[in-house]
Amino acid sequence: MEKRKDGFLIEKGEHEKDFIFGTRAVMESIHAGKDIDKVLVQKEINNDLIKELLKLCKAEKIPVVRVPDAKLNRITRKNHQGVVAQMSSIEYASLDHVIESCFNVGKAPLILILDRITDVRNFGAIARTAECAGVDAIVIPEKGSAQINSDAIKTSVGALNFLPVVRVRNLFYTCRDLQKSGLVLIAITEKTEKTMYDVDFTVPVAMVMGSEEDGISTELMGIVDEKVNIPMAGKIESLNVSVSAGVAIYEAIRQRK
């Protein structure tokens, strides 16, 4: 937490300039096409204007999170009316456009799907490696993913300003759509005997990485085309997820070169 000049606490990485306060101000910003990461709505409020806001957010596919009033007060002392919108630090990309652009230039897409990776520093480090390696896009879910804020951009050393990031409502259906588009879904997991050196990364690929705590969800593991591990020879059985992503990405690059 950080202490402001007025003595009030605000969560690290969050600053008032990154937010819009008030129901109508948030709605006007959405109508104006502002890039909004998510909308925080006080739990107890459910009036007609709030219902209109929720309907608008649903139509524009903007995540809404119900939070206690104390959470909003940690962000601002202003009259927020129970509604605070967090501005997006980047402009999200269209996955269809990314895939189409790759195929149009004769390139086999290399997409990185991040499932339940919530640590901002890990996310930023993964994005840095992905951008350096030429990954075509990172795909993240609307909920249960690291916030793309100033800390994430700093950790990525600015890579998030150049690497396409796609935010989707449901990773399962997105992965299904990628398979229909001709991409092979490859899970990087320790729950298999097959190594990453035993699969073909030269074809169109969507690589799936899970969090260190929870791994890849059972739902996604049930539909992947391949499950491969990173060979381990030491006594410690796992790598940091950002390191694992780097190793797997560069194996794909090695094969493609």
Side-chain angles (χ1 to χ4, degrees), residues 193-237:
E193 295 299 319
K194 196 172 189 178
T195 78
M196 64 180 184
Y197 305 121
D198 299 322
V199 295
D200 184 5
F201 281 102
T202 65
V203 299
V205 166
M207 189 185 301
V208 186
M209 304 289 306
S211 70
E212 294 177 44
E213 298 80 10
D214 304 313
I216 299 169
S217 67
T218 303
E219 189 178 38
L220 290 185
M221 287 288 277
I223 64 169
V224 297
D225 301 297
E226 296 278 6
K227 299 174 186 176
V228 301
N229 69 41
I230 297 172
M232 307 292 292
K235 292 182 173 60
I236 298 175
E237 296 180 352

Tab-separated table of all heavy atoms in Angstrom, residues 193-237:
chain	number	residue	atom	x	y	z
A	193	GLU	N	4.675	-37.230	-19.605
A	193	GLU	CA	6.024	-37.757	-19.813
A	193	GLU	C	6.652	-37.199	-21.085
A	193	GLU	O	7.864	-37.232	-21.266
A	193	GLU	CB	5.971	-39.295	-19.902
A	193	GLU	CG	5.523	-39.979	-18.616
A	193	GLU	CD	6.462	-39.697	-17.450
A	193	GLU	OE1	7.682	-39.708	-17.669
A	193	GLU	OE2	5.964	-39.462	-16.331
A	194	LYS	N	5.829	-36.685	-21.980
A	194	LYS	CA	6.306	-36.174	-23.256
A	194	LYS	C	6.997	-34.826	-23.057
A	194	LYS	O	6.491	-33.959	-22.339
A	194	LYS	CB	5.119	-36.016	-24.216
A	194	LYS	CG	5.484	-35.856	-25.673
A	194	LYS	CD	4.222	-35.917	-26.525
A	194	LYS	CE	4.535	-35.977	-28.001
A	194	LYS	NZ	3.299	-36.094	-28.819
A	195	THR	N	8.153	-34.636	-23.683
A	195	THR	CA	8.861	-33.375	-23.510
A	195	THR	C	8.561	-32.419	-24.656
A	195	THR	O	8.067	-32.813	-25.714
A	195	THR	CB	10.391	-33.593	-23.447
A	195	THR	OG1	10.899	-33.802	-24.766
A	195	THR	CG2	10.746	-34.768	-22.550
A	196	MET	N	8.903	-31.174	-24.447
A	196	MET	CA	8.648	-30.159	-25.474
A	196	MET	C	9.513	-30.379	-26.719
A	196	MET	O	9.228	-29.821	-27.776
A	196	MET	CB	8.892	-28.757	-24.913
A	196	MET	CG	10.310	-28.487	-24.501
A	196	MET	SD	10.491	-26.810	-23.858
A	196	MET	CE	12.255	-26.761	-23.579
A	197	TYR	N	10.562	-31.209	-26.602
A	197	TYR	CA	11.406	-31.494	-27.757
A	197	TYR	C	10.778	-32.541	-28.676
A	197	TYR	O	11.301	-32.802	-29.758
A	197	TYR	CB	12.778	-31.983	-27.288
A	197	TYR	CG	13.463	-31.033	-26.339
A	197	TYR	CD1	13.822	-31.435	-25.055
A	197	TYR	CD2	13.720	-29.719	-26.714
A	197	TYR	CE1	14.440	-30.554	-24.176
A	197	TYR	CE2	14.336	-28.832	-25.840
A	197	TYR	CZ	14.687	-29.257	-24.576
A	197	TYR	OH	15.297	-28.372	-23.713
A	198	ASP	N	9.661	-33.129	-28.227
A	198	ASP	CA	9.022	-34.210	-28.990
A	198	ASP	C	7.804	-33.752	-29.789
A	198	ASP	O	7.066	-34.583	-30.327
A	198	ASP	CB	8.589	-35.340	-28.036
A	198	ASP	CG	9.763	-35.945	-27.290
A	198	ASP	OD1	10.828	-36.081	-27.912
A	198	ASP	OD2	9.616	-36.258	-26.094
A	199	VAL	N	7.547	-32.449	-29.839
A	199	VAL	CA	6.403	-31.951	-30.606
A	199	VAL	C	6.883	-30.937	-31.637
A	199	VAL	O	7.975	-30.366	-31.530
A	199	VAL	CB	5.329	-31.297	-29.693
A	199	VAL	CG1	4.716	-32.332	-28.770
A	199	VAL	CG2	5.909	-30.142	-28.908
A	200	ASP	N	6.042	-30.697	-32.624
A	200	ASP	CA	6.358	-29.794	-33.725
A	200	ASP	C	5.798	-28.406	-33.439
A	200	ASP	O	4.583	-28.211	-33.392
A	200	ASP	CB	5.756	-30.364	-35.018
A	200	ASP	CG	6.122	-29.526	-36.245
A	200	ASP	OD1	6.919	-28.573	-36.104
A	200	ASP	OD2	5.594	-29.837	-37.333
A	201	PHE	N	6.684	-27.445	-33.217
A	201	PHE	CA	6.271	-26.062	-32.980
A	201	PHE	C	6.312	-25.222	-34.257
A	201	PHE	O	6.071	-24.014	-34.203
A	201	PHE	CB	7.167	-25.409	-31.930
A	201	PHE	CG	6.846	-25.775	-30.508
A	201	PHE	CD1	7.615	-26.697	-29.830
A	201	PHE	CD2	5.781	-25.190	-29.843
A	201	PHE	CE1	7.348	-27.038	-28.509
A	201	PHE	CE2	5.490	-25.507	-28.526
A	201	PHE	CZ	6.276	-26.450	-27.853
A	202	THR	N	6.637	-25.842	-35.382
A	202	THR	CA	6.722	-25.061	-36.621
A	202	THR	C	5.347	-24.820	-37.237
A	202	THR	O	5.201	-23.972	-38.113
A	202	THR	CB	7.629	-25.763	-37.648
A	202	THR	OG1	7.034	-27.009	-38.039
A	202	THR	CG2	9.010	-26.007	-37.077
A	203	VAL	N	4.359	-25.577	-36.799
A	203	VAL	CA	2.991	-25.404	-37.291
A	203	VAL	C	2.330	-24.253	-36.518
A	203	VAL	O	2.882	-23.773	-35.519
A	203	VAL	CB	2.187	-26.706	-37.112
A	203	VAL	CG1	2.807	-27.836	-37.904
A	203	VAL	CG2	2.069	-27.079	-35.637
A	204	PRO	N	1.153	-23.792	-36.940
A	204	PRO	CA	0.440	-22.787	-36.148
A	204	PRO	C	0.168	-23.310	-34.739
A	204	PRO	O	-0.419	-24.376	-34.574
A	204	PRO	CB	-0.856	-22.578	-36.936
A	204	PRO	CG	-0.501	-22.926	-38.349
A	204	PRO	CD	0.472	-24.062	-38.226
A	205	VAL	N	0.612	-22.562	-33.725
A	205	VAL	CA	0.570	-23.056	-32.346
A	205	VAL	C	-0.030	-22.023	-31.398
A	205	VAL	O	0.257	-20.826	-31.494
A	205	VAL	CB	1.989	-23.424	-31.856
A	205	VAL	CG1	2.025	-23.611	-30.336
A	205	VAL	CG2	2.485	-24.684	-32.535
A	206	ALA	N	-0.847	-22.532	-30.464
A	206	ALA	CA	-1.280	-21.756	-29.310
A	206	ALA	C	-0.737	-22.482	-28.082
A	206	ALA	O	-1.135	-23.609	-27.792
A	206	ALA	CB	-2.796	-21.644	-29.245
A	207	MET	N	0.213	-21.862	-27.405
A	207	MET	CA	0.880	-22.466	-26.253
A	207	MET	C	0.166	-22.031	-24.975
A	207	MET	O	-0.063	-20.842	-24.760
A	207	MET	CB	2.336	-21.997	-26.237
A	207	MET	CG	3.229	-22.691	-25.242
A	207	MET	SD	4.887	-21.927	-25.250
A	207	MET	CE	5.379	-22.169	-26.959
A	208	VAL	N	-0.187	-22.994	-24.118
A	208	VAL	CA	-0.948	-22.692	-22.900
A	208	VAL	C	-0.045	-22.827	-21.682
A	208	VAL	O	0.598	-23.863	-21.472
A	208	VAL	CB	-2.155	-23.636	-22.744
A	208	VAL	CG1	-3.005	-23.205	-21.544
A	208	VAL	CG2	-2.989	-23.664	-24.014
A	209	MET	N	0.009	-21.760	-20.875
A	209	MET	CA	0.765	-21.766	-19.621
A	209	MET	C	-0.202	-21.523	-18.467
A	209	MET	O	-1.097	-20.683	-18.561
A	209	MET	CB	1.816	-20.643	-19.606
A	209	MET	CG	2.808	-20.646	-20.750
A	209	MET	SD	4.009	-21.982	-20.691
A	209	MET	CE	4.703	-21.775	-19.057
A	210	GLY	N	-0.009	-22.254	-17.355
A	210	GLY	CA	-0.834	-22.062	-16.169
A	210	GLY	C	-0.034	-21.444	-15.040
A	210	GLY	O	1.193	-21.331	-15.106
A	211	SER	N	-0.724	-21.061	-13.984
A	211	SER	CA	-0.052	-20.443	-12.848
A	211	SER	C	0.768	-21.463	-12.076
A	211	SER	O	0.532	-22.675	-12.162
A	211	SER	CB	-1.083	-19.806	-11.904
A	211	SER	OG	-1.832	-20.815	-11.239
A	212	GLU	N	1.725	-20.963	-11.292
A	212	GLU	CA	2.555	-21.856	-10.480
A	212	GLU	C	1.720	-22.540	-9.398
A	212	GLU	O	1.975	-23.684	-9.041
A	212	GLU	CB	3.692	-21.062	-9.839
A	212	GLU	CG	4.692	-20.512	-10.839
A	212	GLU	CD	5.758	-19.669	-10.167
A	212	GLU	OE1	6.275	-20.096	-9.118
A	212	GLU	OE2	6.073	-18.584	-10.689
A	213	GLU	N	0.720	-21.848	-8.891
A	213	GLU	CA	-0.095	-22.392	-7.810
A	213	GLU	C	-1.121	-23.403	-8.308
A	213	GLU	O	-1.285	-24.481	-7.736
A	213	GLU	CB	-0.835	-21.258	-7.082
A	213	GLU	CG	0.068	-20.245	-6.409
A	213	GLU	CD	0.627	-19.212	-7.363
A	213	GLU	OE1	0.164	-19.164	-8.527
A	213	GLU	OE2	1.552	-18.479	-6.964
A	214	ASP	N	-1.829	-23.083	-9.377
A	214	ASP	CA	-2.962	-23.897	-9.824
A	214	ASP	C	-2.732	-24.637	-11.130
A	214	ASP	O	-3.510	-25.528	-11.485
A	214	ASP	CB	-4.211	-23.005	-9.965
A	214	ASP	CG	-4.534	-22.267	-8.677
A	214	ASP	OD1	-4.535	-22.916	-7.623
A	214	ASP	OD2	-4.760	-21.046	-8.730
A	215	GLY	N	-1.682	-24.289	-11.868
A	215	GLY	CA	-1.458	-24.927	-13.154
A	215	GLY	C	-2.524	-24.548	-14.173
A	215	GLY	O	-3.252	-23.567	-14.008
A	216	ILE	N	-2.624	-25.340	-15.215
A	216	ILE	CA	-3.647	-25.121	-16.246
A	216	ILE	C	-4.954	-25.738	-15.777
A	216	ILE	O	-4.972	-26.836	-15.212
A	216	ILE	CB	-3.198	-25.754	-17.577
A	216	ILE	CG1	-1.891	-25.107	-18.055
A	216	ILE	CG2	-4.279	-25.613	-18.653
A	216	ILE	CD1	-1.231	-25.826	-19.215
A	217	SER	N	-6.053	-25.069	-16.011
A	217	SER	CA	-7.347	-25.563	-15.543
A	217	SER	C	-7.692	-26.909	-16.176
A	217	SER	O	-7.276	-27.214	-17.298
A	217	SER	CB	-8.456	-24.555	-15.867
A	217	SER	OG	-8.651	-24.463	-17.267
A	218	THR	N	-8.458	-27.707	-15.429
A	218	THR	CA	-8.896	-29.023	-15.917
A	218	THR	C	-9.673	-28.887	-17.216
A	218	THR	O	-9.559	-29.718	-18.124
A	218	THR	CB	-9.772	-29.712	-14.853
A	218	THR	OG1	-9.034	-29.815	-13.635
A	218	THR	CG2	-10.190	-31.106	-15.304
A	219	GLU	N	-10.457	-27.812	-17.313
A	219	GLU	CA	-11.273	-27.560	-18.498
A	219	GLU	C	-10.401	-27.438	-19.747
A	219	GLU	O	-10.673	-28.057	-20.779
A	219	GLU	CB	-12.097	-26.292	-18.292
A	219	GLU	CG	-13.144	-26.033	-19.347
A	219	GLU	CD	-13.945	-24.783	-19.061
A	219	GLU	OE1	-13.362	-23.794	-18.578
A	219	GLU	OE2	-15.160	-24.802	-19.332
A	220	LEU	N	-9.335	-26.647	-19.658
A	220	LEU	CA	-8.451	-26.465	-20.811
A	220	LEU	C	-7.608	-27.711	-21.078
A	220	LEU	O	-7.383	-28.070	-22.239
A	220	LEU	CB	-7.532	-25.256	-20.600
A	220	LEU	CG	-8.176	-23.878	-20.629
A	220	LEU	CD1	-7.116	-22.792	-20.527
A	220	LEU	CD2	-9.017	-23.683	-21.877
A	221	MET	N	-7.163	-28.357	-20.011
A	221	MET	CA	-6.357	-29.578	-20.180
A	221	MET	C	-7.144	-30.654	-20.919
A	221	MET	O	-6.567	-31.512	-21.588
A	221	MET	CB	-5.906	-30.104	-18.816
A	221	MET	CG	-4.816	-29.261	-18.181
A	221	MET	SD	-3.200	-29.446	-18.993
A	221	MET	CE	-2.616	-30.940	-18.196
A	222	GLY	N	-8.458	-30.599	-20.809
A	222	GLY	CA	-9.293	-31.601	-21.453
A	222	GLY	C	-9.412	-31.436	-22.955
A	222	GLY	O	-9.864	-32.359	-23.645
A	223	ILE	N	-9.007	-30.278	-23.497
A	223	ILE	CA	-9.176	-30.055	-24.938
A	223	ILE	C	-7.865	-29.824	-25.682
A	223	ILE	O	-7.875	-29.723	-26.906
A	223	ILE	CB	-10.127	-28.866	-25.213
A	223	ILE	CG1	-9.526	-27.556	-24.681
A	223	ILE	CG2	-11.513	-29.128	-24.646
A	223	ILE	CD1	-10.262	-26.314	-25.146
A	224	VAL	N	-6.739	-29.738	-24.951
A	224	VAL	CA	-5.485	-29.467	-25.647
A	224	VAL	C	-5.110	-30.631	-26.564
A	224	VAL	O	-5.486	-31.780	-26.324
A	224	VAL	CB	-4.326	-29.193	-24.655
A	224	VAL	CG1	-4.609	-27.949	-23.834
A	224	VAL	CG2	-4.069	-30.390	-23.759
A	225	ASP	N	-4.365	-30.316	-27.619
A	225	ASP	CA	-3.934	-31.346	-28.576
A	225	ASP	C	-2.684	-32.065	-28.099
A	225	ASP	O	-2.481	-33.241	-28.404
A	225	ASP	CB	-3.664	-30.695	-29.937
A	225	ASP	CG	-4.888	-29.991	-30.491
A	225	ASP	OD1	-5.892	-30.677	-30.746
A	225	ASP	OD2	-4.844	-28.754	-30.644
A	226	GLU	N	-1.823	-31.344	-27.365
A	226	GLU	CA	-0.579	-31.936	-26.881
A	226	GLU	C	-0.312	-31.454	-25.460
A	226	GLU	O	-0.605	-30.312	-25.106
A	226	GLU	CB	0.612	-31.535	-27.765
A	226	GLU	CG	0.546	-32.025	-29.192
A	226	GLU	CD	1.023	-33.474	-29.339
A	226	GLU	OE1	1.300	-34.114	-28.302
A	226	GLU	OE2	1.122	-33.932	-30.491
A	227	LYS	N	0.276	-32.345	-24.655
A	227	LYS	CA	0.745	-31.978	-23.316
A	227	LYS	C	2.234	-32.286	-23.266
A	227	LYS	O	2.646	-33.419	-23.511
A	227	LYS	CB	0.014	-32.776	-22.238
A	227	LYS	CG	-1.490	-32.565	-22.218
A	227	LYS	CD	-2.150	-33.507	-21.216
A	227	LYS	CE	-3.673	-33.399	-21.298
A	227	LYS	NZ	-4.332	-34.373	-20.385
A	228	VAL	N	3.043	-31.268	-22.985
A	228	VAL	CA	4.491	-31.485	-22.962
A	228	VAL	C	5.094	-30.856	-21.713
A	228	VAL	O	4.549	-29.890	-21.153
A	228	VAL	CB	5.166	-30.893	-24.222
A	228	VAL	CG1	4.608	-31.529	-25.480
A	228	VAL	CG2	5.014	-29.383	-24.272
A	229	ASN	N	6.221	-31.412	-21.275
A	229	ASN	CA	6.904	-30.858	-20.114
A	229	ASN	C	8.241	-30.251	-20.509
A	229	ASN	O	8.737	-30.455	-21.614
A	229	ASN	CB	7.076	-31.921	-19.025
A	229	ASN	CG	8.060	-33.015	-19.418
A	229	ASN	OD1	9.109	-32.762	-20.009
A	229	ASN	ND2	7.734	-34.254	-19.083
A	230	ILE	N	8.809	-29.497	-19.576
A	230	ILE	CA	10.173	-28.999	-19.709
A	230	ILE	C	11.042	-29.951	-18.892
A	230	ILE	O	10.847	-30.078	-17.682
A	230	ILE	CB	10.291	-27.565	-19.167
A	230	ILE	CG1	9.422	-26.612	-19.999
A	230	ILE	CG2	11.749	-27.099	-19.185
A	230	ILE	CD1	9.327	-25.206	-19.430
A	231	PRO	N	11.974	-30.658	-19.523
A	231	PRO	CA	12.779	-31.648	-18.792
A	231	PRO	C	13.506	-31.027	-17.598
A	231	PRO	O	14.076	-29.940	-17.708
A	231	PRO	CB	13.774	-32.141	-19.846
A	231	PRO	CG	13.108	-31.859	-21.154
A	231	PRO	CD	12.328	-30.600	-20.948
A	232	MET	N	13.439	-31.705	-16.464
A	232	MET	CA	14.073	-31.232	-15.237
A	232	MET	C	15.081	-32.264	-14.756
A	232	MET	O	14.766	-33.453	-14.663
A	232	MET	CB	13.022	-30.989	-14.151
A	232	MET	CG	11.867	-30.071	-14.572
A	232	MET	SD	12.384	-28.367	-14.831
A	232	MET	CE	12.778	-27.900	-13.168
A	233	ALA	N	16.304	-31.823	-14.438
A	233	ALA	CA	17.338	-32.749	-13.989
A	233	ALA	C	17.759	-32.510	-12.536
A	233	ALA	O	18.417	-33.349	-11.934
A	233	ALA	CB	18.564	-32.641	-14.896
A	234	GLY	N	17.357	-31.389	-11.972
A	234	GLY	CA	17.769	-31.064	-10.607
A	234	GLY	C	16.812	-31.602	-9.556
A	234	GLY	O	15.855	-32.312	-9.861
A	235	LYS	N	17.064	-31.237	-8.311
A	235	LYS	CA	16.218	-31.691	-7.204
A	235	LYS	C	14.935	-30.873	-7.082
A	235	LYS	O	13.933	-31.342	-6.556
A	235	LYS	CB	17.007	-31.635	-5.894
A	235	LYS	CG	18.145	-32.658	-5.817
A	235	LYS	CD	18.851	-32.590	-4.474
A	235	LYS	CE	19.859	-33.719	-4.328
A	235	LYS	NZ	20.917	-33.692	-5.354
A	236	ILE	N	14.960	-29.618	-7.526
A	236	ILE	CA	13.747	-28.784	-7.517
A	236	ILE	C	12.927	-29.131	-8.747
A	236	ILE	O	13.447	-29.194	-9.859
A	236	ILE	CB	14.117	-27.291	-7.512
A	236	ILE	CG1	14.900	-26.964	-6.237
A	236	ILE	CG2	12.861	-26.422	-7.584
A	236	ILE	CD1	15.413	-25.552	-6.172
A	237	GLU	N	11.633	-29.371	-8.539
A	237	GLU	CA	10.825	-29.970	-9.596
A	237	GLU	C	10.127	-28.966	-10.516
A	237	GLU	O	9.427	-29.368	-11.442
A	237	GLU	CB	9.766	-30.888	-8.973
A	237	GLU	CG	10.370	-32.080	-8.226
A	237	GLU	CD	9.306	-32.971	-7.627
A	237	GLU	OE1	8.119	-32.576	-7.670
A	237	GLU	OE2	9.654	-34.053	-7.127
